[in-house]
Amino acid sequence: MNIGILTSGGDCPGLNAVIRGAVRKGIRQYGYSFSAIRDGWRGLLEDDIHPLHMVDVRGIGARGGTILGTSRTHPYSGGGPERMREVMAERSIDAVIAIGGEGTLAGASRLADDEGLPVVGVPKTIDNDLDNTDYTFGFDTAQEIATEAIDRLRTTAESHHRCMVLEVMGRNVGWIALQSGMAGGAHAILIPEFPVGYEQICEWVRSAWDRGRAPLVVVAEGFVPEDLDDQVSEAGLDKHGRVRLGGIGNHLAPIIEERTGLETRAVTLGHLQRGGSPTAYDRVLATRLGMAAVDLCHDAGWGQMASLTGTDIIRVPMAEAVDRLKFVPQHRWDEVQVLLG
């Protein structure tokens, strides 16, 4: 069997570990061969494909990014499924492992279930918002980077007696903000699932200040205060018409300063959360998911993805993973309230 591997959508730490795990297991256990599909679905549509050998994945598990490149090319563009069939036949590709997030897996599910293409999936997103898997690789690294940023901001905030606002990623869900905020001891945690108003935010800031602390606010990029109607987007739209989120931290800082009288600065982590080496947890999880994806190909489990439940890697339909997002539940939000302010 010749298996094509692609990485699609946003990059994140751990992608190379998935590729390495899949190639090493496929070659060593099953004697399969592999093909590197460049830049996601684009490579499969434009026949940008190259052999992928064991030597190509040597030592890449600790590297961030993806050796295959990535893009946001839609799988139904440029000839769609028919073109993919042509390319796969010409390249003798028997199966495709698609590594990606919600959009990638939705496309992969449709290709497998509706078009009959031999595609399996590996879930990837730093936001941890995919359903039917407890965690996605990349998330642990992102929350670790955000937590380190909080720790660093705390020392400068205390030195200058300031309030600091840290904006982290999280378009629709607030897992990074919640986890890093709890780990770093933030005084206000703001996430898309549970809007609060400016007055509540300032109350948390004042409470921390009155106790002699330099207030720290962690906000997910997709958070919308009760006082606003839409998400803050300073950069407008990307070439696909998708809103480029970012700027909620800069929006909140002057409001906090005006209402509390405290000098307030904002920091946006942005793509720092998606770059660099993955944590040990993400390396192990990604490697296990890559190996499980090869088993799915071996068993012709088309339309399924490798998933984490507890500490076990299981198989679930990709369609179920993209059916809905995994939001922060009410009980986790209730739990953190005692720590705020």
Side-chain angles (χ1 to χ4, degrees):
M1 179 182 285
N2 180 23
I3 301 174
I5 303 181
L6 63 84
T7 52
S8 180
D11 67 309
C12 81
L15 286 168
N16 285 324
V18 177
I19 298 165
R20 176 179 176 272
V23 170
R24 287 181 67 87
K25 177 161 187 175
I27 292 175
R28 287 188 163 187
Q29 182 166 330
Y30 296 119
Y32 293 160
S33 60
F34 288 84
S35 294
I37 302 172
R38 296 286 302 169
D39 299 336
W41 300 114
R42 184 199 66 78
L44 196 53
L45 291 166
E46 299 181 10
D47 194 14
D48 189 357
I49 299 171
H50 311 279
L52 187 61
H53 303 294
M54 187 92 78
V55 67
D56 298 317
V57 301
R58 185 172 57 192
I60 68 171
R63 286 171 53 185
T66 165
I67 63 168
L68 302 179
T70 186
S71 73
R72 297 190 185 277
T73 301
H74 197 282
Y76 279 78
S77 63
E82 289 307 314
R83 174 57 179 158
M84 290 181 184
R85 286 191 181 92
E86 293 175 6
V87 173
M88 290 175 68
E90 291 171 4
R91 294 286 188 167
S92 299
I93 294 177
D94 305 296
V96 172
I97 297 175
I99 310 168
E102 179 193 6
T104 300
L105 295 183
S109 173
R110 187 176 168 191
L111 290 171
D113 297 340
D114 298 343
E115 310 294 345
L117 287 174
V119 182
V120 302
V122 174
K124 171 252 12 163
T125 167
I126 68 167
D127 286 342
N128 198 41
D129 61 355
L130 277 172
D131 202 21
N132 262 9
T133 186
D134 287 352
Y135 284 98
T136 48
F137 69 87
F139 170 65
D140 186 66
T141 303
Q143 69 174 353
E144 184 65 28
I145 291 169
T147 300
E148 181 183 357
I150 294 171
D151 292 343
R152 291 178 180 275
L153 286 174
R154 183 182 301 282
T155 59
T156 183
E158 290 174 345
S159 298
H160 290 273
H161 314 294
R162 290 173 176 153
C163 171
M164 302 296 292
V165 180
L166 177 66
E167 179 182 321
V168 300
M169 285 185 169
R171 172 174 289 270
N172 299 303
V173 305
W175 286 108
I176 295 176
L178 179 73
Q179 296 282 95
S180 65
M182 290 184 71
H187 302 105
I189 298 173
L190 310 174
I191 59 178
E193 293 91 332
F194 300 100
V196 296
Y198 296 138
E199 189 52 46
Q200 175 63 80
I201 297 169
C202 292
E203 183 180 321
W204 283 328
V205 168
R206 291 191 199 97
S207 174
W209 179 259
D210 290 344
R211 291 185 292 106
R213 306 302 305 278
L216 274 165
V217 179
V218 179
V219 57
E221 62 185 355
F223 170 74
V224 181
E226 287 180 344
D227 314 78
L228 281 184
D229 296 325
D230 301 305
Q231 292 172 315
V232 175
S233 174
E234 293 180 342
L237 306 178
D238 63 18
K239 64 180 181 180
H240 302 292
R242 190 183 190 198
V243 173
R244 280 192 177 126
L245 293 184
I248 182 63
N250 290 326
H251 170 82
L252 289 175
I255 293 175
I256 292 172
E257 181 166 328
E258 179 184 356
R259 296 195 180 196
T260 66
L262 299 176
E263 183 182 0
T264 304
R265 302 289 180 87
V267 174
T268 301
L269 275 187
H271 288 78
L272 285 172
Q273 296 155 94
R274 283 162 54 165
S277 298
T279 60
Y281 180 88
D282 277 340
R283 296 182 199 187
V284 173
L285 175 57
T287 300
R288 294 180 69 200
L289 290 171
M291 294 191 293
V294 172
D295 290 335
L296 273 172
C297 293
H298 178 75
D299 297 336
W302 317 131
Q304 298 183 70
M305 73 174 196
S307 172
L308 179 70
T309 296
T311 58
D312 297 326
I313 303 295
I314 64 169
R315 303 174 178 187
V316 298
M318 284 187 283
E320 294 182 7
V322 298
D323 222 16
R324 59 186 181 275
L325 294 176
K326 183 174 64 188
F327 296 106
V328 173
Q330 181 71 51
H331 73 270
R332 288 298 309 273
W333 178 243
D334 293 341
E335 177 183 78
V336 78
Q337 296 305 299
V338 71
L339 304 176
L340 303 182

